[in-house]
Amino acid sequence: MSTATRWTVAVMVVVVALGVALWTQLGDSGSPIGSIGPGDPRDRRDADTTEALAGPRTRADLPPCPKAGSGPGPQRLRGITVECAGDGLNVDVAKAVAGRPTVLNLWAYWCAPCAEELPAMAEYQRRVGPDVTVLTVHQDENEAAALLRLAELGVRLPTLQDGRRLIAAALAVPNVMPATVVLRADGSVAEVLPRSFASADEIAAAVGPKVGPKTGEPG
């Protein structure tokens, strides 16, 4: 074997050894390929620490997110856990909507039609009382901005922080905002409404007939 060949083999051995060492290190760190990294979607910004959110949460003064209802909840939402914007507690979404008619309102702090619609959603909730739960879903990682926008609007509705838009993906909601998903008490999806509403009357007309018994749609 020539000297050049020996050097080539030696270099290849070193490269392979470095590759194996790097692979092992990644495995030991608990960050396998495919895990969420710094450049991937996330539920909230690094800047939105518990301390940083304390002031906006106080200003927004949101009610707590729903506790676990009866039954496992919609199959499509099982396994999805996000943060309750009002208090920072984790929420199992499927369990939170189980056993109760629920209106999921998907929005973002920068969305102008969302800001116009949110007060109407709050008024609709006031009218229907405990018969229907209106749960808003903030779909941007800037949680502080969401809290401040709700405070500005005077809207006090339980809100899920879903910067990765996991709920919309699970329910096959079109990529528009605002959008509303109506869930029956049995967890079935009554309708997906990719549109905005101008008043509580419009919401009641669209949602009211759809929160009754299941009529065959999958959950």
Side-chain angles (χ1 to χ4, degrees):
M1 181 181 297
S2 67
T3 300
T5 302
R6 285 197 296 270
W7 273 109
T8 300
V9 172
V11 170
M12 291 178 63
V13 169
V14 171
V15 170
V16 171
L18 289 173
V20 171
L22 178 59
W23 181 271
T24 302
Q25 183 179 2
L26 287 173
D28 292 342
S29 68
S31 301
I33 294 176
S35 65
I36 294 176
D40 294 309
R42 52 193 175 167
D43 278 335
R44 70 180 191 186
R45 305 175 305 164
D46 293 339
D48 289 331
T49 62
T50 301
E51 294 75 15
L53 291 173
R57 282 177 175 153
T58 298
R59 289 182 60 182
D61 192 25
L62 302 182
C65 294
K67 303 296 183 184
S70 58
Q75 183 175 1
R76 300 186 199 178
L77 295 176
R78 292 176 195 170
I80 297 178
T81 299
V82 297
E83 182 184 274
C84 181
D87 54 24
L89 297 178
N90 288 334
V91 177
D92 183 317
V93 181
K95 292 181 179 178
V97 303
R100 53 173 65 94
T102 303
V103 175
L104 296 175
N105 183 238
L106 283 57
W107 67 287
Y109 76 92
W110 43 261
C111 167
C114 301
E116 295 174 0
E117 179 184 75
L118 281 165
M121 282 287 170
E123 172 61 18
Y124 170 74
Q125 177 67 93
R126 188 191 67 79
R127 292 184 186 180
V128 297
D131 292 339
V132 178
T133 296
V134 177
L135 184 59
T136 87
V137 181
H138 182 244
Q139 298 193 120
D140 185 278
E141 66 180 29
N142 192 334
E143 186 172 0
L147 291 164
L148 294 174
R149 176 53 61 92
L150 291 170
E152 173 191 344
L153 296 171
V155 171
R156 297 185 64 250
L157 291 170
T159 298
L160 301 177
Q161 172 60 26
D162 185 16
R164 291 179 290 171
R165 304 190 183 186
L166 299 177
I167 295 170
L171 297 176
V173 180
N175 189 26
V176 298
M177 281 188 282
T180 296
V181 181
V182 184
L183 302 173
R184 300 186 185 88
D186 64 6
S188 60
V189 177
E191 189 164 3
V192 176
L193 301 165
R195 52 162 291 190
S196 61
F197 294 97
S199 68
D201 289 337
E202 284 189 11
I203 297 169
V207 172
K210 298 177 174 60
V211 292
K214 180 179 178 181
T215 58
E217 289 84 351

